[in-house]
């Protein structure tokens, strides 16, 4: 073989072998996590180009792969539902026949008058975790009610206030039930008092927003929250007067006194905490009877208006109105004070008379 051809053949063979070894090394490493440079040592001075990592840059483009990414927190509603469902599953397991001393353990959680007299104050809250295992409708009603009410109410109140309202309604409902049943006794389970407290707040914040739901999961009903509150209030008062005060057991274990306590907790929260912190104008809200229960007001007698000389707005009023309109454009109508709203009303009345 000629010397020149032999040299070129040897060079190509050396290059292919070195390239193969470095390719094997590269495949064994994690692509993009380290710099890899292939270089041929020798007098020929051949150097292969550097392979720069691109994977790291690609991962940095994704927000969820960066170290400063803030993952979305689980909402308080999801935690409440998860705890409620987990407690029901544990109740099924512990209450099964093959679980030794299961019934004795579960008996420490429902609210009873003898338990309170013995100092078991934790039952004022733990009764909300216990549900009837004989039918799935009890736990199903609790979970669905929490979903439909909580997803609307938690964004309005915030997680801490939402949980505080729910727990407070459970507690006040338990205290109300205990006061009514202190002599006759009984057993209270379920979280309906907390649900009623949440619903009252939602109904008072949005009294006339139409809602759709299924009665007994079968009959579709369309109504407004405030009317549903009136109906529940009447039903609970009826059950309290004609069943619980007389020591009788209401149908389906309906604890009217606990429900009334939960509704009272929701009303107190709205009056004492929610509105007082300026979160809305709920403090000025007053319960109104339905239109068909109100007395019809007499029509006002017609009076002939007396012509008056139109008055021109003063320069000071014009300047004040211009300032208020500029404020509305920049900050919105909600930023106006009561005095500024009265100025606008006066200016509107003056323009209507002129």
């Amino acid at each position: 073989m000629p010397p020149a051809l032999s040299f070129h053949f040897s060079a190509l063979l050396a290059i292919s072998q070195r390239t193969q070894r470095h390719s094997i090394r590269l495949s064994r490493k994690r692509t993009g996590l380290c710099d890899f440079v292939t270089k041929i040592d020798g007098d020929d001075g051949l150097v292969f180009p550097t392979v720069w990592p691109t994977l790291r840059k690609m991962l940095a483009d994704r927000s969820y792969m960066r170290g400063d990414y803030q993952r979305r927190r689980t909402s308080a509603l999801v935690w409440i539902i998860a705890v409620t469902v987990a407690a029901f599953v544990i109740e099924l397991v512990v209450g099964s026949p093959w679980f030794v001393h299961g019934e004795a353990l579960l008996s420490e959680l429902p609210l009873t008058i003898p338990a309170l007299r013995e100092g078991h104050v934790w039952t004022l809250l733990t009764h909300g975790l216990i549900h009837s295992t004989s039918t799935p409708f009890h736990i199903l009603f609790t979970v669905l009610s929490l979903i439909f009410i909580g997803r609307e109410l938690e964004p309005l109140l915030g997680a801490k206030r939402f949980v505080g309202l729910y727990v407070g309604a459970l507690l006040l409902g338990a205290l109300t039930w205990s006061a009514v049943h202190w002599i006759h006794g009984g057993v209270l389970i379920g979280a309906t008092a907390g649900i009623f407290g949440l619903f009252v707040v939602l109904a008072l914040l949005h009294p006339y927003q139409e809602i759709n739901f299924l009665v007994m999961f079968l009959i579709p009903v369309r109504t407004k929250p405030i009317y549903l509150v009136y109906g529940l209030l009447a039903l609970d008062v009826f059950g309290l007067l004609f069943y619980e005060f007389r020591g009788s057991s209401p149908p389906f274990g309906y604890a009217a006194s606990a429900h009334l306590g939960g509704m009272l907790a929701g009303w107190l929260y709205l009056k004492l905490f929610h509105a007082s912190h300026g979160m809305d104008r709920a403090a000025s809200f007053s319960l109104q009877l339905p239109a068909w229960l109100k007395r019809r007001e007499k029509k006002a007698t017609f009076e002939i208006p007396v012509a008056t000389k139109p008055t021109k707005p003063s320069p000071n009023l014009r300047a004040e109105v211009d300032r208020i309109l500029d404020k509305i454009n920049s900050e919105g109508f909600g930023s106006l004070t009561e005095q500024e709203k009265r100025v606008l009303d006066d200016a509107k009345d003056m323009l209507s008379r002129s």
Side-chain angles (χ1 to χ4, degrees):
M1 181 180 295
L5 184 60
S6 177
F7 169 77
H8 288 293
F9 180 77
S10 300
L12 290 176
L13 182 61
I15 292 173
S16 62
Q17 292 177 352
R18 186 62 61 89
T19 303
Q20 185 178 4
R21 288 198 298 270
H22 286 293
S23 298
I24 295 174
R25 288 176 53 195
L26 179 61
S27 63
R28 293 177 179 177
K29 297 182 179 180
R30 295 183 179 179
T31 306
L33 299 181
C34 62
D35 295 340
F36 177 72
V37 180
T38 58
K39 185 177 180 180
I40 300 298
D41 296 328
D43 298 334
D44 50 7
L46 295 177
V47 178
F48 285 88
T50 305
V51 181
W52 297 103
T54 58
L55 182 59
R56 183 178 302 171
K57 183 178 180 180
M58 294 171 60
L59 294 178
D61 291 338
R62 292 163 173 79
S63 59
Y64 55 85
M65 295 298 295
R66 294 197 296 262
D68 58 347
Y69 175 71
Q70 298 293 333
R71 296 188 179 274
R72 188 176 181 180
R73 295 183 178 180
T74 305
S75 65
L77 174 63
V78 174
W79 279 113
I80 292 177
I81 294 175
V83 171
T84 302
V85 174
F88 182 71
V89 174
I90 294 175
E91 181 183 0
L92 292 175
V93 175
V94 175
S96 59
W98 53 269
F99 197 91
V100 182
H101 306 299
E103 294 294 335
L105 180 60
L106 291 178
S107 64
E108 297 293 328
L109 300 179
L111 177 60
T112 61
I113 301 303
L116 281 183
R117 290 174 178 173
E118 295 176 3
H120 298 176
V121 293
W122 61 84
T123 57
L124 293 173
L125 292 178
T126 56
H127 75 278
L129 300 175
I130 304 300
H131 293 79
S132 175
T133 56
S134 59
T135 174
F137 290 104
H138 194 194
I139 184 65
L140 192 60
F141 169 79
T142 299
V143 173
L144 291 180
S145 300
L146 284 173
I147 293 174
F148 292 140
I149 299 174
R151 66 180 181 180
E152 300 292 337
L153 191 58
E154 185 182 1
L156 299 177
L157 305 185
K160 292 183 179 179
R161 287 176 175 266
F162 181 79
V163 175
L165 172 61
Y166 180 74
V167 175
L170 280 177
L171 181 59
L172 188 55
L175 293 174
T176 306
W177 182 90
S178 301
V180 173
H181 290 262
W182 191 259
I183 297 177
H184 303 290
V187 180
L188 178 63
I189 60 174
T192 312
I195 294 174
F196 274 38
L198 297 176
F199 182 70
V200 165
V201 173
L202 181 63
L204 295 183
L205 290 177
H206 303 286
Y208 300 109
Q209 182 179 354
E210 291 187 348
I211 57 175
N212 300 316
F213 63 96
L214 295 176
V215 177
M216 302 298 295
F217 306 102
L218 296 175
I219 306 174
V221 175
R222 185 176 185 179
T223 184
K224 296 179 180 179
I226 192 64
Y227 298 151
L228 189 57
V229 169
Y230 292 143
L232 293 174
L233 185 62
L235 181 62
D236 287 329
V237 171
F238 178 84
L240 179 66
L241 295 178
F242 293 96
Y243 284 95
E244 295 192 44
F245 277 164
R246 301 172 62 180
S248 303
S249 298
F252 310 107
Y254 193 81
S257 56
H259 300 168
L260 290 174
M263 297 172 73
L264 178 61
W267 183 82
L268 289 176
Y269 165 80
L270 197 69
K271 291 295 182 180
L272 301 180
F273 298 98
H274 189 76
S276 63
H277 285 75
M279 298 180 69
D280 65 348
R281 296 188 178 185
S284 61
F285 181 82
S286 60
L287 293 177
Q288 299 179 3
L289 294 175
W292 54 274
L293 286 179
K294 293 182 179 179
R295 293 183 178 180
R296 294 183 179 180
E297 298 180 357
K298 295 182 179 180
K299 295 183 179 180
T301 57
F302 179 75
E303 296 182 358
I304 300 176
V306 179
T308 57
K309 185 179 180 180
T311 58
K312 296 182 179 180
S314 62
N316 293 334
L317 180 59
R318 290 182 178 178
E320 182 67 12
V321 170
D322 292 339
R323 184 190 65 81
I324 295 174
L325 293 178
D326 292 338
K327 184 177 181 180
I328 293 176
N329 291 332
S330 60
E331 303 179 14
F333 186 79
S335 62
L336 298 184
T337 63
E338 296 296 333
Q339 179 64 25
E340 291 172 338
K341 292 179 182 179
R342 282 194 294 269
V343 172
L344 288 180
D345 293 336
D346 295 341
K348 182 180 66 175
D349 295 339
M350 187 175 297
L351 290 176
S352 62
R353 292 194 300 266
S354 60

